[in-house]
Amino acid sequence: MSQGIPQGWYGASATAAPPREALSGLLRCDVCVVGGGYTGLSAALHLALAGARVILLEAETVGFAASGRNGGQIHTGFRKEQSELESWLGRQHARELWELGAESKALVRELVHTHAIDCALKDGLVIAAHRMSAAHALEREAEHLASQYGYTQLAMLDAARTEAELGTRVYPASRFDSGGGHLHALNFARGLGRAAETAGAVLFEHSRVLALDEDKAGVNARTAGGTISSDQVVLACDAFSGALAPQLAPYIGQLESFIVATAPLDEALYARVLPSDAAVADTRHVLDYYRKSEDRRMLFAGRESYWRVPKDVAGMVGPRMAHVFPALTGVAIDYAWHGTVGITRTRMPHLGRLSKRMLFAHGYSGQGVALATLCGKLMSEAALGKPERFDVLARVPAAPFPGGQLLRRPLVAAALAWFKLLDALPG
Ligand SMILES: Cc1cc2nc3c(=O)[nH]c(=O)nc-3n(C[C@H](O)[C@H](O)[C@H](O)COP(=O)(O)OP(=O)(O)OC[C@H]3O[C@@H](n4cnc5c(N)ncnc54)[C@H](O)[C@@H]3O)c2cc1C
């Protein structure tokens, strides 16, 4: 079993990436993008397509962090239900957000198609209810989305149909979303990188930005080897943005999520587990999420931690997988890895400006495959003088995590323990 590859199975199965140089010396451009995940890559691509001179600085390699190791699931909307957004922000603002959410899924599909990104994109996502009360909530929201937003791609499945689609009996009901889907996370990131370069963006790797400062000429992004001087900076470091911009640290939490990939399943097992081949996430706070890969493995994620990374990820996630799919008990686990999810207290993405010349977007709270890709595009629009759509998200009020620098992590860990307790309650 390989636990040494940072991006686990994604790292082992991805299409090759070209080697890229580290920044050296002083360069000038219109927009400097910091961070080479979906947010930064999408920003760089859209900026370059619009004719801007753009340079992207990535601390490691393209797709090294969340964008190269996530569940690959494409979700509808936001982590907060649309009905909650309406009560919180009002109907008009909630509707504008819904439209952006819908665009984010379409954007992923359009980018994959236009730039011929080989990332095994498939339709279909199931939200599995871990108890009946959760199923009722899923159904209420589906009815609301159909009647108020005309979204008719959700279908409730009872226990028998859920078992037929998922190949497990652990859920009393589920909701099938034909508008959701899944993809190979790292190949999507690498494909965006390739598309950005083809459009004219310059990408540097192994170029961690150590400081940002402003002078009359613009913003300076300084690495160990050089400096980019630009009119504007787009900050796209998600869970890590607080390290570069300490004023953002109270707004972004880090949660470790753990994934395993089994050995390729034989034909009988492959047909038996998850026959629908959709991606699945359950309704618990500390959720299981999983899907099958194009090379016939089960990729299963379960357990989360705000606190530490266990030595034996497979030993932790394997029993969860066997609980959901007893047929997978004893199947070899070939890869185990983890990644840091950037979360916000509101569970809504956090977008804004550090100054007139510096934009940021982070905190997709586990739903960044589509939303980060969109937010990169929205940052490109804002950097090019069209901030209206960026501002729809920037207007969502952000809330700092309580506790300050020292107490934040223990407090958030305590909250996670509390949510685990709630998940276990009957209902
Ligand atoms: C294990 C896991 C599972 C997930 N599953 C899903 C899922 O199934 N569906 C879904 O929608 N979302 C999922 N997510 C969330 C999703 O992956 C993220 O929301 C999304 O990838 C964020 O993209 P990003 O570009 O903003 O950040 P990242 O991909 O984290 O990229 C940020 C980049 O910035 C770089 N960086 C940091 N600091 C600096 C610096 N100072 N200088 C230069 N570069 C820097 C990092 O190296 C990194 O490459 C998951 C996340 C994880 C970790």
Side-chain angles (χ1 to χ4, degrees):
M1 206 259 311
S2 163
Q3 236 179 210
I5 311 174
Q7 293 127 326
W9 170 79
Y10 286 119
S13 62
T15 48
R20 297 185 176 96
E21 286 178 14
L23 174 67
S24 96
L26 174 64
L27 293 176
R28 171 88 203 160
C29 65
D30 299 325
V31 185
C32 174
V33 177
V34 183
Y38 303 143
T39 307
L41 294 164
S42 168
L45 168 62
H46 288 100
L47 282 161
L49 287 174
R53 289 177 308 152
V54 52
I55 295 178
L56 181 147
L57 298 173
E58 161 55 45
E60 304 283 347
T61 50
V62 162
F64 176 80
S67 299
R69 46 180 103 185
N70 62 60
Q73 307 201 344
I74 300 165
H75 286 263
T76 291
F78 295 84
R79 268 308 277 275
K80 245 190 178 32
E81 299 279 27
Q82 203 52 33
S83 45
E84 281 183 80
L85 289 175
E86 287 167 17
S87 342
W88 180 31
L89 303 169
R91 287 199 170 189
Q92 179 55 31
H93 194 181
R95 184 164 291 277
E96 290 169 25
L97 289 166
W98 170 260
E99 276 159 18
L100 287 179
E103 182 180 330
S104 73
K105 293 187 296 178
L107 178 65
V108 169
R109 292 184 168 106
E110 180 204 312
L111 290 171
V112 168
H113 181 71
T114 308
H115 301 284
I117 300 177
D118 183 8
C119 62
L121 175 63
K122 282 189 181 159
D123 291 340
L125 176 105
V126 174
I127 305 291
H130 70 293
R131 56 185 174 214
M132 226 33 230
S133 56
H136 294 318
L138 288 176
E139 189 162 18
R140 274 195 305 277
E141 190 64 13
E143 285 165 3
H144 184 68
L145 292 177
S147 65
Q148 300 304 307
Y149 296 88
Y151 189 68
T152 52
Q153 288 181 272
L154 300 175
M156 288 305 294
L157 309 179
D158 62 13
R161 285 184 63 205
T162 299
E163 185 183 348
E165 296 286 346
L166 305 193
T168 170
R169 291 185 178 164
V170 297
Y171 308 113
S174 65
R175 191 176 74 187
F176 192 92
D177 181 359
S178 57
H182 57 99
L183 48 66
H184 187 297
L186 182 55
N187 276 352
F188 181 50
R190 288 186 175 173
L192 289 178
R194 179 173 46 77
E197 283 174 325
T198 305
V202 175
L203 275 54
F204 289 105
E205 296 186 326
H206 310 291
S207 301
R208 180 178 297 280
V209 175
L210 302 171
L212 293 167
D213 56 74
E214 294 189 58
D215 57 27
K216 276 191 191 146
V219 192
N220 302 304
R222 301 183 191 279
T223 72
T227 297
I228 303 292
S229 161
S230 61
D231 294 340
Q232 297 190 68
V233 158
V234 160
L235 192 63
C237 300
D238 197 30
F240 315 102
S241 53
L244 192 55
Q247 60 273 53
L248 293 180
Y251 295 93
I252 186 85
Q254 291 86 22
L255 185 153
E256 284 305 306
S257 189
F258 306 96
I259 312 189
V260 299
T262 64
L265 305 177
D266 65 33
E267 239 168 76
L269 258 185
Y270 185 80
R272 187 168 161 192
V273 298
L274 199 44
S276 68
D277 207 12
V280 183
D282 74 20
T283 46
R284 292 173 314 141
H285 291 98
V286 183
L287 74 166
D288 293 335
Y289 56 96
Y290 48 89
R291 67 185 183 89
K292 290 193 291 193
S293 68
E294 52 278 26
D295 63 352
R296 310 171 67 88
R297 300 168 192 274
M298 171 60 75
L299 308 187
F300 195 100
R303 307 284 189 212
E304 291 170 345
S305 162
Y306 288 99
W307 202 230
R308 65 190 174 89
V309 175
K311 279 206 178 95
D312 184 9
V313 169
M316 187 179 67
V317 179
R320 271 305 310 161
M321 180 172 71
H323 168 74
V324 177
F325 295 111
L328 295 182
T329 309
V331 170
I333 289 178
D334 280 357
Y335 300 93
W337 68 99
H338 61 95
T340 311
V341 188
I343 54 161
T344 61
R345 197 165 165 205
T346 62
R347 299 295 188 268
M348 289 296 285
H350 180 207
L351 277 65
R353 295 168 177 80
L354 291 173
S355 74
K356 276 190 181 160
R357 294 172 182 275
M358 286 197 264
L359 300 160
F360 68 86
H362 61 181
Y364 311 99
S365 303
Q367 281 195 204
V369 172
L371 292 175
T373 308
L374 177 79
C375 287
K377 184 178 184 190
L378 299 183
M379 286 210 281
S380 78
E381 293 172 2
L384 294 169
K386 291 197 171 148
E388 296 77 14
R389 283 149 41 88
F390 175 87
D391 284 335
V392 172
L393 273 155
R395 273 194 284 133
V396 175
F401 284 101
Q405 197 74 331
L406 274 179
L407 283 176
R408 195 172 308 130
R409 288 186 79 191
L411 281 176
V412 178
L416 185 71
W418 170 246
F419 283 136
K420 278 185 186 165
L421 252 173
L422 290 183
D423 286 339
L425 290 177

